[in-house]
Amino acid sequence: MENPSKIVENGVVYSLGDFDGTTVHYDFYQILHYLEMKGKLLFGERFKIYKKDRPLIRKLCAFMIRDYNACKRYGLDCRKGILLTGPVGCGKTSLMKLVRYIVPGKLTYEMIPTRNVIFSFNHLGFKTVQEYGDSGSYCFDDLGLEPLGRFYGDNANVMGEVLLSRYELHQKSDHRLKTHATTNLSATELEDRYGQRVRSRMRALFNLMAFDSNSPDKRH
């Protein structure tokens, strides 16, 4: 039997905890060590995990590995997805790309820039809303910063429609199909962007996690 507590990268074995034959007992500091190494592979040698971000990362890791006891302590509903907010450059996108790798097997969701959804809509119309709204697990990156869609002369708030479809999927599914998102916008700004109805559905779709509003731009 493969040991799901071990991950091999470039021939090096990284441990995420201990496996007793049925359950992985994760160790957060071993996960951090792996995430920092994986981050350097994905984003370059300058990547680092900042100490002040660890409480947020701990919550996010607990959610990803389905540590139900920890999620309960943190007030996280495992049936929902994650809405990760924070200022520009704080590391939202990198973190959501990165934490997917601590779960053994294939990646649990696909990262989709919201602007790509709009580009697709502009070519294919409402088929795009159906594609992203009715199946799959996604993390929609930079929610609220995308332009309006336009198809045959008609403007459409495409991501608003996708979120409404994701809500319907959430209501009828077994919750294995997750909806995640990253955004720089506040709750009020999201409501201004998508309307009160979509904002209400977002409360049912997402657990809110937030970087500190004073988090520095880590891109420099």
Side-chain angles (χ1 to χ4, degrees):
M1 176 189 297
E2 291 187 3
N3 187 336
S5 70
K6 310 293 182 186
I7 296 180
V8 180
E9 296 279 357
N10 294 336
V12 179
V13 179
Y14 295 88
S15 176
L16 304 183
D18 298 312
F19 181 55
D20 64 10
T22 57
T23 304
V24 177
H25 302 278
Y26 287 93
D27 182 298
F28 178 62
Y29 291 98
Q30 291 185 32
I31 291 176
L32 275 182
H33 176 67
Y34 170 72
L35 288 177
E36 188 145 57
M37 179 283 308
K38 185 67 173 178
K40 291 182 186 298
L41 287 178
L42 291 175
F43 311 121
E45 282 298 318
R46 295 179 63 185
F47 176 85
K48 65 177 290 188
I49 290 176
Y50 290 78
K51 189 172 183 179
K52 67 180 180 179
D53 292 336
R54 286 182 184 179
L56 173 64
I57 295 171
R58 185 186 288 271
K59 290 180 183 179
L60 193 52
C61 287
F63 178 88
M64 292 295 165
I65 64 177
R66 293 295 182 268
D67 184 338
Y68 294 107
N69 290 331
C71 286
K72 187 175 181 180
R73 289 199 308 272
Y74 296 137
L76 301 175
D77 186 341
C78 290
R79 296 171 297 179
K80 300 180 181 181
I82 298 295
L83 177 62
L84 185 59
T85 72
V88 173
C90 67
K92 301 180 298 296
T93 301
S94 297
L95 188 54
M96 289 303 290
K97 285 180 178 178
L98 187 57
V99 293
R100 300 178 295 169
Y101 289 94
I102 65 173
V103 180
K106 68 177 184 177
L107 298 180
T108 51
Y109 53 88
E110 186 178 354
M111 294 291 298
I112 304 291
T114 52
R115 64 180 182 276
N116 289 9
V117 179
I118 307 307
F119 294 156
S120 176
F121 177 87
N122 292 345
H123 288 285
L124 301 174
F126 282 91
K127 180 181 178 182
T128 297
V129 175
Q130 183 177 12
E131 176 186 352
Y132 289 112
D134 294 347
S135 63
S137 291
Y138 302 107
C139 179
F140 296 108
D141 192 32
D142 277 339
L143 184 67
L145 300 186
E146 75 282 354
L148 286 173
R150 189 170 180 82
F151 187 68
Y152 281 104
D154 294 325
N155 289 332
N157 194 330
V158 179
M159 284 309 304
E161 295 297 326
V162 169
L163 290 172
L164 289 173
S165 294
R166 298 298 299 186
Y167 171 78
E168 296 299 329
L169 181 66
H170 174 76
Q171 291 297 98
K172 66 186 180 183
S173 77
D174 60 7
H175 304 115
R176 285 183 297 180
L177 300 179
K178 289 289 191 292
T179 308
H180 309 293
T182 71
T183 187
N184 301 335
L185 303 186
S186 67
T188 301
E189 290 169 326
L190 286 169
E191 186 168 322
D192 289 344
R193 181 71 170 80
Y194 297 115
Q196 187 175 14
R197 181 174 175 230
V198 173
R199 175 67 186 129
S200 174
R201 301 300 189 267
M202 289 175 70
R203 293 188 185 97
L205 272 177
F206 297 120
N207 295 285
L208 179 62
M209 291 190 190
F211 279 89
D212 189 283
S213 59
N214 296 317
S215 291
D217 190 331
K218 302 183 178 82
R219 296 172 298 180
H220 301 301

